[in-house]
Amino acid sequence: MSPELISAYRPGSTLLHRIPAGPKLGLLAAYGVVTVVATGPWTAIGFLAFSLALVVWVRIPWRTAVRALRPLLLVVVLVTAFQVWQRGWPAAIHVVGDLLALFVAALVFTATTRIDALLDAIVRGLGPFRRVGVDPEKVALAFSLMIGAIPGVMTIARETRDAAKARGLERDPRALLVPMAIRTVAHAYDTGAALHARGIGDD
Amino acid sequence: MLRLDRVSVSVGTPDGDLVLLHRTTLSITERRVALIGGNGSGKSTFARLLNGLVEPTTGRVTVGDLDTVDDGPSVRRAVGFVFTDPGAQLVMPTCLEDVALSLRRTVKDKRERLRQARAILDGIGLGDKADTTVHALSGGQKQMLALAGVLATDPQVLVADEPTTLLDLRNTRLVADRLFALPQQLVLVTHDLDLAARCDRALVIDEARVVFDGRPDDAIAHYRASVDAP
Amino acid sequence: MTSTTRKGRRAAVSTTDLALIATFAALIAVCAIMPAVNTGSGTPFTLQMFGIFLAGATLGATRGFLAVVLYLAVGTAGLPIFTQGAAGPATWAGVTGGYLLAFPLAALLVGLVAARVARSKPARFVVIVSVVAAIVTIAVVGTLGTLGMAWKLDVSLRVAWGYATPFFVYDIIKGVLAAVVAASVHRAFPQLTARR
């Protein structure tokens, strides 16, 4: 019913798969800084080639990579044209090359990192914030609750849309959105009651 | 023992106070007690009082020595609650995680928690569904999973609010047989008069009052008569 | 079925609040990935911004802000719940990173005002929240989005602002929609604003 939520994670055993999620995110951030600091068209081409090599290394199928890049395509074309017109080819290659290099590297990150591994890393990273009132256990619960709630909310959205259609109101945004929002809030209160009934979150 | 001592429940609405339960005093010691009555009669409010999901406006509700208001967390640990719609009760992404959630308080080690959760799933015949999303289960499987999630907290009393209303006949039997096989005290809100007849005592609730209290056969007869009467 | 529990004696975020935050984060996700309402214009029209404004307008500042942060965290971790099925840190690395940063602030600011007027007449609530959402669209979402694009694309602020403006009209409409819907939600669930 929901093919929408297929994660881009691809199991594998390369070094990139095995680096823990937290440090890997750090590496990605560092890479971002490096692309900003190092300027020039040739370095940008080098970065892009490096990122693409990572794609080959962790075996992301090209079709997947291209599909992920699609939302960026229009921007890339527009910006290339604009930069070439304003400042010439070298500047265009520098800007667009850096952008794509970092974007592709981030795709590689997602392809080699399990969602729950990164969420666990976030929860661990929150440990030091315990003293300012952040409860990592509660954050972890929130992550699971949210992921658990998506299919339910999606069903609510679909049912209210069908209900509006059945009454010939599919063009009326209020007939679509008001019941969806109200049922979502009711669902949230039910979830809260269910958690309470199971004695969770009292302590 | 469950006890209601001069309990009433009302909520404020823009049109004035709405009474959900008029002043009621009674205690429940029987092993299995049924609550029957029409839609909106106050059955659910009554059931929710028993584990503190609804707090009394006046009076006290006690479970053993515990007060549902003052000892909320302990009461909720002692009294498990099964909802009508298991979809509302199953809150985690996968079956295994949902059962493991109930074990959070008692089993601190994550690996041990998952092991126990897996054993519980095996016990209700859902062992092969451990890693599937709870939304892929049938209605009956969902209710069995919800029940397993509640039982994993090892409650002394189980309150079930119309647990079979959304189920077909086969699944109703499956869930009911499981409920009646439990060693715990059971308070069962139900529209299924066959199930009510299997209890030791039945309360009929109408317009926010307990209007009959006694043997299930008599209670059912009273309820039928009240519906048939003009 | 709603319960009439009184709670919130200890924790800053109660169990009910946690459920509201998580469910609204899921709602924003569904709004972002749901096949869009057909506008006939060909622009990808999702309800993501509607979901964000709705979170603020219904839950108030704190819970609305946390719902959006939760949505962003889970999306960044790799669940494809950003618009067009995007996910992961790539979304931040792309040209729309500034917008992502603006989302929680938008919910916070709209929530701050909405919580104050939640108990007034629905018409007044709708007008005030719509106006605030429109101001936030331009002043916060537009500005941060523009800064993000100007930085990523290495273009002047004026050019980036030009890229951002076509979205304003849609987002302002979504703000009005969120205000209308939130007014109904507050009438259905007065307990949303109780004790806040």
Side-chain angles (χ1 to χ4, degrees):
Chain A
M1 57 148 226
S2 51
E4 296 95 334
L5 285 183
I6 295 168
S7 145
Y9 172 71
R10 303 192 67 80
S13 56
T14 65
L15 178 63
L16 278 181
H17 282 91
R18 281 176 284 137
I19 302 177
K24 205 189 319 185
L25 194 59
L27 283 177
L28 181 64
Y31 187 51
V33 173
V34 172
T35 59
V36 170
V37 174
T39 53
W42 290 108
T43 52
I45 289 174
F47 286 136
L48 185 54
F50 175 71
S51 294
L52 291 174
L54 294 180
V55 170
V56 176
W57 183 26
V58 302
R59 301 219 182 96
I60 302 176
W62 289 109
R63 281 185 48 188
T64 312
V66 170
R67 199 175 320 132
L69 280 168
R70 214 165 36 193
L72 212 58
L73 207 64
L74 180 67
V75 176
V76 165
V77 171
L78 282 176
V79 171
T80 310
F82 180 81
Q83 292 284 1
V84 169
W85 170 52
Q86 286 282 308
R87 302 196 289 175
W89 275 106
I93 290 172
H94 166 60
V95 170
V96 176
D98 276 359
L99 179 70
L100 285 176
L102 195 57
F103 191 86
V104 170
L107 288 182
V108 170
F109 175 91
T110 301
T112 57
T113 313
R114 288 176 56 101
I115 294 172
D116 48 355
L118 184 54
L119 292 179
D120 283 349
I122 295 175
V123 170
R124 266 198 308 278
L126 287 175
F129 294 95
R130 216 181 263 278
R131 62 184 59 187
V132 293
V134 177
D135 179 357
E137 281 270 294
K138 220 165 219 180
V139 175
L141 180 59
F143 286 146
S144 302
L145 282 179
M146 186 241 174
I147 295 171
I150 292 175
V153 175
M154 202 126 55
T155 306
I156 289 174
R158 199 174 299 115
E159 283 176 2
T160 42
R161 183 178 290 198
D162 289 348
K165 212 180 266 178
R167 295 166 64 188
L169 295 171
E170 69 264 37
R171 296 213 154 267
D172 179 355
R174 280 185 60 176
L176 286 169
L177 299 175
V178 171
M180 177 169 103
I182 285 180
R183 285 187 58 194
T184 301
V185 175
H187 184 83
Y189 276 111
D190 284 347
T191 303
L195 289 173
H196 252 278
R198 283 160 79 173
I200 290 150
D202 282 330
D203 45 5
Chain B
M1 185 178 81
L2 305 167
R3 182 162 171 78
L4 276 70
D5 186 12
R6 285 165 291 169
V7 169
S8 71
V9 181
S10 55
V11 289
T13 70
D15 313 318
D17 277 7
L18 177 68
V19 180
L20 300 177
L21 188 70
H22 288 285
R23 180 184 278 232
T24 301
T25 299
L26 56 84
S27 44
I28 299 176
T29 48
E30 289 78 3
R31 174 102 175 272
R32 309 186 201 299
V33 176
L35 300 179
I36 55 180
N39 295 322
S41 58
K43 301 189 302 293
S44 285
T45 302
F46 191 109
R48 282 161 187 249
L49 276 169
L50 299 177
N51 85 332
L53 275 176
V54 170
E55 294 180 357
T57 312
T58 65
R60 273 160 57 90
V61 180
T62 48
V63 178
D65 305 330
L66 303 169
D67 183 289
T68 57
V69 177
D70 299 338
D71 313 303
S74 309
V75 166
R76 280 187 282 276
R77 242 166 284 160
V79 183
F81 199 98
V82 180
F83 294 77
T84 309
D85 180 5
Q89 180 152 16
L90 301 173
V91 292
M92 299 296 265
T94 66
C95 300
L96 187 68
E97 286 171 90
D98 199 81
V99 177
L101 178 70
S102 291
L103 298 168
R104 248 166 58 121
R105 184 189 306 279
T106 46
V107 188
K108 289 295 172 200
D109 179 55
K110 190 173 175 185
R111 201 163 297 171
E112 173 60 18
R113 197 154 65 208
L114 291 177
R115 197 193 62 74
Q116 289 190 17
R118 212 173 273 279
I120 290 171
L121 284 178
D122 284 336
I124 55 167
L126 291 177
D128 57 327
K129 306 275 190 207
D131 296 313
T132 47
T133 149
V134 294
H135 294 269
L137 301 179
S138 73
Q141 287 173 328
K142 278 186 194 168
Q143 195 57 287
M144 290 298 276
L145 179 64
L147 184 53
V150 172
L151 292 174
T153 61
D154 201 17
Q156 300 157 25
V157 182
L158 192 70
V159 179
D161 187 0
E162 299 184 32
T164 60
T165 299
L166 300 176
L167 304 182
D168 63 21
L169 185 58
R170 178 191 301 275
N171 283 310
T172 296
R173 281 202 189 137
L174 192 70
V175 170
D177 288 347
R178 180 92 180 93
L179 284 174
F180 280 90
L182 294 173
Q184 281 98 338
Q185 188 177 25
L186 174 70
V187 176
L188 179 66
V189 178
T190 187
H191 287 299
D192 187 332
L193 300 180
D194 293 340
L195 291 188
R198 287 166 72 177
C199 293
D200 307 315
R201 173 180 172 188
L203 308 178
V204 183
I205 300 182
D206 187 32
E207 292 186 357
R209 287 175 210 279
V210 177
V211 294
F212 189 91
D213 181 355
R215 287 182 38 232
D217 293 347
D218 300 335
I220 291 167
H222 184 280
Y223 178 44
R224 280 193 206 280
S226 72
V227 174
D228 291 338
Chain C
M1 189 74 226
T2 58
S3 68
T4 52
T5 319
R6 287 171 271 137
K7 61 179 79 82
R9 257 159 287 176
R10 278 158 301 238
V13 177
S14 76
T15 308
T16 307
D17 288 338
L18 193 67
L20 282 166
I21 290 164
T23 313
F24 264 81
L27 179 66
I28 298 169
V30 171
C31 284
I33 59 180
M34 221 173 28
V37 179
N38 188 6
T39 53
S41 61
T43 32
F45 180 95
T46 76
L47 289 169
Q48 183 188 43
M49 207 60 225
F50 163 79
I52 288 160
F53 283 139
L54 185 68
T58 342
L59 302 184
T62 312
R63 291 177 298 182
F65 174 81
L66 290 174
V68 179
V69 169
L70 179 59
Y71 163 72
L72 292 177
V74 172
T76 305
L79 201 68
I81 50 175
F82 293 144
T83 46
Q84 298 183 279
T91 324
W92 294 86
V95 288
T96 50
Y99 283 102
L100 297 190
L101 202 60
F103 290 162
L105 289 178
L108 181 82
L109 294 171
V110 169
L112 221 51
V113 175
R116 284 182 175 279
V117 294
R119 303 225 161 210
S120 52
K121 288 207 169 63
R124 192 172 122 89
F125 176 88
V126 169
V127 170
I128 292 177
V129 173
S130 300
V131 169
V132 172
I135 294 170
V136 167
T137 297
I138 295 170
V140 177
V141 183
T143 304
L144 283 176
T146 299
L147 286 174
M149 280 198 278
W151 180 50
K152 276 288 167 191
L153 304 177
D154 203 10
V155 293
S156 71
L157 286 174
R158 208 163 50 83
V159 173
W161 184 257
Y163 291 152
T165 39
F167 300 103
F168 286 178
V169 182
Y170 288 118
D171 286 347
I172 288 171
I173 295 172
K174 288 175 212 170
V176 176
L177 267 179
V180 171
V181 173
S184 300
V185 174
H186 280 300
R187 260 180 298 157
F189 297 95
Q191 65 266 47
L192 276 168
T193 46
R195 293 163 144 262
R196 285 207 166 249

